[in-house]
């Protein structure tokens, strides 16, 4: 009995050792027999650097479905569907052998240091739905062969060094919902054929070298929610047809060469619009009163243009109560600031500097309890500083410099416990420097220069320990 037990134990140990010896080679055989595994190993061969050792698991001793970044099909054995290697600091070229992984649906290589061209062979991946190679060092043209990936919904090529034009073949990919090409070196015009991508919700060819006009045909993109065209060399007018994209939530046209007037239809039709950036163009004419109809608008930036008119009165500040950022810096806006400005209760930042505004500072500013930054410099504002400004308890920046404001500095400004930057320079202020100002203990910059102030400087100014930027009297 003992002899049989000993034989049984010996046999079990032998079997266990056999499994340990044979198992790696069986996996090796499995990998060699698998097209997917072979393609992955070819991909690894194309890497020049893996400084953090993320791909140490990529060896024949391990089942490749367990390799880092690999997901296999839940029902089809040993078939790879996802390859996700994100923010791993990998460096090398993207192997064209990836196209042999025929069931691949997701290819995510963003946040690495891949260089060279995007392999044209990727067009053979008919099941590919998600392609993200953003934030790398890829160069060359966008391969037109990508149109072979008829299942593609997301293409993100942002933050690379890609050049050339947008290939016409991209407009054949009718399932695309997300096309992002920003921060590259792309040239040419925006093809009107992009209007064929009727499933698009996001279109971002921003920060490139595109020229020509914004194609009015883009108005056919009825599902479009995000349109980023900023920092290019686009010219001509803003197409009225864009207002047909009624799902739009964000539009950015900043930093182009656009001219003409802002279409009235943008405010009349884009009822879902939340953010509108048109900074640094050559836009002219009046700001459309229809923009006050945009009930969901939270950010409006029309700064650095040639806009004019007494729009504030014509709007009567009927803007959205959710508006938190409002910027009209450096235009030709005239008239006075209406009392109804106090209705914009969500405002956090208000830039009205470098315009032609006149009249008095409305006391209703005191109602803006959320306001953190108020810029009114370089206008023609006159009259006293209202005591009510002291009610803006969250105010950190108050810039009234280069106006014609007169009278005394109100002691109520001492209530601004968050105030860090106070510029009242180049006005007609008189009287003494109120000692109460020294209660603003967070003050970093205080500029009262070029006024008619008199008397002694309060000794308590020496207690403003954060006054590191400037004290200008």
């Amino acid at each position: 009995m003992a002899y049989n037990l000993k034989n049984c134990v010996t046999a079990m140990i032998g079997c266990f050792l056999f499994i340990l010896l044979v198992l790696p080679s069986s996996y090796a055989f499995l990998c060699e027999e698998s097209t997917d595994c072979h393609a992955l190993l070819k991909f690894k061969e194309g890497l020049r650097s893996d400084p953090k050792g993320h791909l140490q698991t990529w060896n024949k001793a391990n089942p490749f479905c367990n390799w880092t970044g690999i997901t296999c099909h839940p029902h089809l054995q040993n078939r790879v569907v996802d390859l996700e290697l994100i923010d791993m600091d990998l460096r090398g070229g993207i192997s064209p052998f990836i196209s042999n992984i025929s069931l691949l649906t997701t290819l995510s290589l963003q946040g690495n240091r891949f260089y060279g061209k995007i392999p044209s062979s990727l067009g053979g991946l008919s099941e590919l739905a998600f392609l993200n190679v953003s934030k790398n060092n890829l160069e060359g043209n966008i391969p037109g062969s990508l149109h072979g990936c008829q299942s593609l919904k997301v293409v993100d090529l942002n933050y690379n060094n890609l050049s050339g034009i947008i290939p016409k073949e991209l407009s054949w990919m009718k399932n695309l919902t997300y096309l992002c090409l920003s921060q590259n070196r792309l040239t040419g015009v925006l093809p009107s054929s992009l209007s064929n991508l009727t499933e698009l919700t996001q279109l971002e060819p921003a920060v490139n070298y595109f020229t020509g006009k914004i194609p009015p045909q883009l108005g056919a993109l009825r599902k479009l929610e995000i349109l980023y065209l900023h920092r290019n060399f686009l010219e001509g007018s803003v197409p009225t047809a864009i207002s047909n994209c009624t799902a739009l939530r964000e539009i950015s046209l900043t930093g182009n060469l656009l001219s003409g007037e802002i279409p009235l239809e943008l405010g009349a039709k884009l009822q879902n619009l939340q953010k509108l950036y048109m900074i640094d163009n050559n836009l002219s004419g009046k700001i459309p009163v229809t923009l006050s109809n945009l009930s969901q608008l939270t950010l409006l930036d029309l700064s650095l243009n040639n806009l004019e008119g007494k729009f504030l009165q014509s709007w009567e500040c009927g803007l959205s109560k959710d508006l938190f950022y409002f910027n009209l810096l450096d235009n030709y806006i005239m008239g006075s600031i209406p009392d109804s400005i106090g209705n914009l209760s969500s405002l956090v930042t208000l830039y009205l500097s470098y315009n032609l505004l006149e009249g008095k500072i409305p006391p209703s500013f005191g109602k803006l309890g959320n306001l953190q930054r108020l810029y009114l410099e370089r206008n023609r504002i006159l009259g006293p500083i209202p005591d009510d400004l002291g009610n803006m308890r969250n105010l950190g920046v108050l810039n009234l410099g280069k106006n014609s404001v007169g009278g005394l500095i109100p002691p109520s400004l001492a209530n601004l416990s968050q105030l860090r930057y106070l510029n009242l320079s180049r006005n007609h202020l008189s009287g003494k420097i109120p000692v109460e100002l020294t209660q603003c203990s967070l003050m970093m910059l205080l500029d009262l220069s070029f006024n008619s102030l008199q008397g002694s400087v309060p000794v308590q100014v020496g207690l403003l320990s954060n006054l590191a930027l400037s004290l200008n009297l």
Side-chain angles (χ1 to χ4, degrees):
M1 185 72 176
Y3 177 80
N4 290 337
L5 181 61
K6 181 179 179 180
N7 287 344
C8 183
V9 170
T10 302
M12 290 175 63
I13 293 174
C15 182
F16 179 71
L17 291 174
F18 176 79
I19 291 174
L20 288 179
L21 291 171
V22 171
L23 196 57
S25 61
S26 68
Y27 282 152
F29 175 79
L30 178 64
C31 187
E32 292 299 328
E33 292 295 315
S34 167
T35 301
D36 289 3
C37 185
H38 182 260
L40 292 174
L41 291 176
K42 284 291 187 180
F43 175 85
K44 185 181 179 182
E45 286 179 12
L47 296 179
R48 295 292 175 266
S49 175
D50 176 16
K52 299 178 182 177
H54 286 291
L55 302 191
Q56 287 181 354
T57 59
W58 284 40
N59 60 72
K60 296 179 181 180
N62 297 315
F64 65 86
C65 286
N66 293 338
W67 291 358
T68 299
I70 301 300
T71 302
C72 284
H73 197 284
H75 306 301
L76 300 177
Q77 188 176 13
N78 297 324
R79 296 306 311 272
V80 176
V81 291
D82 292 353
L83 173 56
E84 299 181 88
L85 304 172
I86 303 171
D87 295 328
M88 293 184 177
D89 202 25
L90 302 174
R91 181 175 180 273
I94 299 177
S95 170
F97 284 91
I98 284 184
S99 61
N100 292 338
I101 308 176
S102 59
L103 295 187
L104 196 66
T105 61
T106 297
L107 178 58
S108 298
L109 303 177
Q110 65 265 36
N112 287 289
R113 292 188 291 156
F114 285 103
Y115 53 78
K117 295 183 178 182
I118 298 173
S120 59
S121 62
L122 292 186
L125 295 171
S126 60
E127 301 297 319
L128 193 65
F130 186 97
L131 172 62
N132 191 337
V133 292
S134 62
K135 299 179 182 177
N136 280 287
N137 300 313
L138 297 170
E139 57 189 15
N141 297 336
I142 299 172
S145 60
L146 285 180
H147 81 273
C149 307
Q150 285 298 310
S151 299
L152 264 180
K153 294 184 177 180
V154 172
V155 174
D156 192 341
L157 310 180
N158 285 346
Y159 296 95
N160 279 287
N161 295 312
L162 300 172
S163 56
I165 64 172
I166 297 177
K168 63 181 184 301
E169 291 88 347
L170 286 190
S171 62
W172 303 348
M173 302 165 67
K174 297 296 182 67
N175 291 312
L176 269 187
T177 63
Y178 185 103
L179 178 58
C180 293
L181 310 173
S182 297
Q183 293 277 355
N184 280 287
R185 298 177 180 177
L186 300 171
T187 55
V189 299
L190 295 177
S192 59
S193 57
L194 289 174
S195 61
N196 295 332
L197 304 176
T198 53
E199 296 298 313
L200 271 187
T201 61
Q202 196 152 335
L203 176 59
E204 298 185 16
V207 197
N208 278 288
Y209 297 90
F210 292 117
T211 56
K213 297 182 178 182
I214 300 173
Q217 292 87 347
L218 295 184
L221 302 178
R222 303 301 173 88
K223 296 183 179 181
L224 196 64
E225 298 179 13
I226 307 292
L227 177 61
Y228 288 166
L229 303 178
H230 53 269
R231 300 297 172 197
N232 280 289
F233 296 89
L234 301 172
E235 57 187 12
S237 58
V238 179
T240 301
I242 294 295
S243 62
N244 294 328
C245 306
T246 53
L248 275 170
R249 294 185 289 109
E250 298 184 16
I251 300 176
S252 180
L253 305 178
T254 292
N256 280 287
L257 304 172
L258 300 171
S259 57
E261 299 187 355
I262 300 172
L264 289 167
E265 289 80 0
L266 295 188
K269 294 183 178 180
L270 301 182
Q271 294 303 308
N272 293 302
L273 199 62
Q274 298 171 9
K275 297 180 180 180
L276 177 59
Y277 303 86
M278 292 186 166
I279 314 161
D280 194 14
N281 280 285
N282 298 316
L283 298 172
S284 58
K286 294 183 179 180
I287 299 173
V289 66
T290 54
L291 293 186
S292 63
N293 298 329
L294 301 177
S295 59
Q296 297 191 47
L297 198 65
T298 61
L299 186 150
L300 177 59
D301 198 331
L302 308 177
S303 59
L304 301 172
N305 280 288
N306 299 313
L307 299 168
E308 57 187 24
K310 299 182 179 181
F311 79 98
L312 287 169
Q313 285 81 358
S314 61
W315 285 11
E316 296 181 353
C317 286
L319 289 164
S320 165
K321 297 294 190 297
D322 296 323
L323 189 70
F324 72 85
Y325 185 96
F326 190 13
N327 191 343
L328 295 176
L329 170 72
D330 201 0
N331 280 285
Y332 297 100
I333 308 301
M334 300 179 290
S336 58
I337 304 171
D339 287 334
S340 54
I341 194 76
N343 296 333
L344 301 178
S345 55
S346 297
L347 267 185
V348 173
T349 299
L350 178 60
Y351 282 93
L352 297 177
S353 301
Y354 290 81
N355 279 289
L356 304 174
L357 294 171
E358 54 193 13
K360 297 181 178 180
I361 300 171
S364 59
F365 268 122
K367 297 179 182 179
L368 303 179
N370 293 309
L371 197 65
Q372 296 178 16
R373 292 171 287 275
L374 175 57
Y375 294 89
L376 299 176
E377 68 176 316
R378 198 71 177 267
N379 279 287
R380 300 171 179 176
I381 297 171
L382 44 77
I385 299 174
D387 287 335
D388 305 71
L389 294 194
N391 296 329
M392 296 188 290
R393 300 299 178 91
N394 287 303
L395 198 66
V397 175
L398 176 58
N399 192 339
L400 305 178
K402 299 179 182 178
N403 279 286
S404 297
V405 176
L408 305 177
I409 300 174
S412 63
L413 297 185
N415 297 327
L416 304 178
S417 60
Q418 301 301 310
L419 195 62
R420 290 167 168 79
Y421 183 111
L422 177 61
N423 186 353
L424 304 178
S425 66
R426 297 183 184 275
N427 280 288
H428 303 310
L429 296 169
S430 58
K432 297 182 177 182
I433 300 173
V435 67
E436 290 85 356
L437 272 185
T438 61
Q439 296 177 32
C440 301
S441 59
L442 300 180
M443 189 88 74
M444 300 176 67
L445 183 147
L446 176 60
D447 193 342
L448 306 178
S449 62
F450 295 95
N451 280 288
S452 299
L453 300 171
Q454 54 187 330
S456 59
V457 178
V459 295
Q460 291 88 340
V461 169
L463 300 177
L464 295 175
S465 57
N466 292 306
L467 200 62
L469 289 179
S470 176
L471 171 61
N472 192 348
L473 304 179

